Amino acid sequence: MLLQIPDVLDARQLAEARRLLADAPWSDGRDSAGSQAAQVKRNQQLPHDCAAARHVRDAVIGAVEREPLFLSAALPRRLFTPRINRYGGDTPSYGEHVDNAIRFRADDGERVRTDISCTVFLSEPDAYEGGELLIQDTFGPRTIKLPAGHAVLYPGTSVHQVTPVTRGWRIACFFWIESMIRSDEQRRLLYELDLAITRLRNRHGDDAETVALTGTYHNLLRMWADT
Ligand code: NI
């Protein structure tokens, strides 16, 4: 499932992020890629321990953990420490690749299974040319380029790339999510059921049927979830 989440970061948070990122210590992005991915990865990223990276990732984690759409769609169990990366100049693209299934979190060495990928766009689309996130979805290729502050969630299983940036810089925050629900199909069913129940409840208030459907949702979650 591919899902866009608008306004994860607000204008004030974006302005602060851009101020900090303007003179941050960018380094070669290849040191964090698997061997297949490293051959096609041409970008820059921030060291985990720099002040700008710390500030932006705290803002992003704080925001997604309060975002109902994110929680419902991802059903997160753990998050990989978000990275901040940029594309442009001599480091303009990330060719077609798949992400390693298991990553080790920098801060505590904890294993994270990469069920879902999340990109939060930090540059406005008119600040750069190219730089689309191109995802091979089950329905064919999908091109994603979102306004600053918006996020996209996509399955970690998909082949994807960032197309070459030919003008300006594309800055984004990126992380993986290990979900309580390993299967993309099951996660999608739960998300759609949750969405339908919420809409029913908003339209009609609670009744015996919404209570029963909510019970079914939680019983499916109980059946499928690893906590
Ligand atoms: Ni990737």
Side-chain angles (χ1 to χ4, degrees):
M1 179 172 69
L2 229 146
L3 181 75
Q4 296 182 20
I5 306 178
D7 301 318
V8 167
L9 297 180
D10 62 27
R12 189 189 51 79
Q13 290 171 309
L14 284 168
E16 178 64 4
R18 286 199 199 108
R19 192 184 65 77
L20 288 166
L21 293 171
D23 45 19
W26 296 98
S27 65
D28 192 319
R30 269 171 293 189
D31 30 288
S32 72
S35 55
Q36 185 270 324
Q39 296 171 38
V40 291
K41 189 175 186 186
R42 299 283 177 273
N43 73 356
Q44 299 176 24
Q45 61 194 18
L46 289 183
H48 275 305
D49 57 359
C50 85
R54 245 190 256 134
H55 177 90
V56 174
R57 74 170 177 257
D58 287 352
V60 166
I61 288 177
V64 295
E65 284 181 343
R66 285 189 305 272
E67 172 58 58
L69 207 54
F70 175 86
L71 297 173
S72 174
L75 293 165
R77 184 185 187 199
R78 10 176 126 96
L79 306 183
F80 185 83
T81 314
R83 298 218 75 126
I84 321 299
N85 55 34
R86 71 172 183 178
Y87 297 82
D90 296 335
T91 50
S93 62
Y94 197 162
E96 206 162 65
H97 68 282
V98 281
D99 298 336
N100 282 8
I102 309 288
R103 307 299 305 239
F104 292 88
R105 208 152 55 181
D107 40 355
D108 57 8
E110 190 77 26
R111 268 195 297 257
V112 178
R113 195 182 58 228
T114 58
D115 296 324
I116 305 169
S117 300
C118 179
T119 296
V120 181
F121 289 79
L122 300 174
S123 303
E124 290 296 353
D126 60 7
Y128 58 99
E129 211 74 63
E132 282 102 2
L133 175 60
L134 182 61
I135 301 166
Q136 299 297 336
D137 190 27
T138 40
F139 302 110
R142 295 272 302 271
T143 301
I144 314 280
K145 184 170 181 172
L146 300 180
H150 292 212
V152 61
L153 293 180
Y154 58 99
T157 49
S158 46
V159 173
H160 56 278
Q161 61 180 290
V162 175
T163 65
V165 170
T166 54
R167 175 186 63 81
W169 289 91
R170 173 204 196 265
I171 307 178
C173 176
F174 169 81
F175 61 99
W176 290 282
I177 301 131
E178 178 176 319
S179 177
M180 291 187 286
I181 307 294
R182 179 190 290 233
S183 146
D184 189 50
E185 245 176 332
Q186 290 175 332
R187 220 183 302 116
R188 185 193 188 113
L189 284 173
L190 287 169
Y191 171 67
E192 287 172 351
L193 181 57
D194 188 34
L195 206 64
I197 293 170
T198 304
R199 285 181 182 155
L200 275 177
R201 186 179 284 137
N202 288 344
R203 199 178 308 154
H204 306 293
D206 262 316
D207 53 24
E209 285 72 26
T210 60
V211 172
L213 286 170
T214 305
T216 302
Y217 172 84
H218 283 285
N219 289 331
L220 285 172
L221 188 55
R222 194 174 286 114
M223 195 179 338
W224 291 339
D226 289 317
T227 56

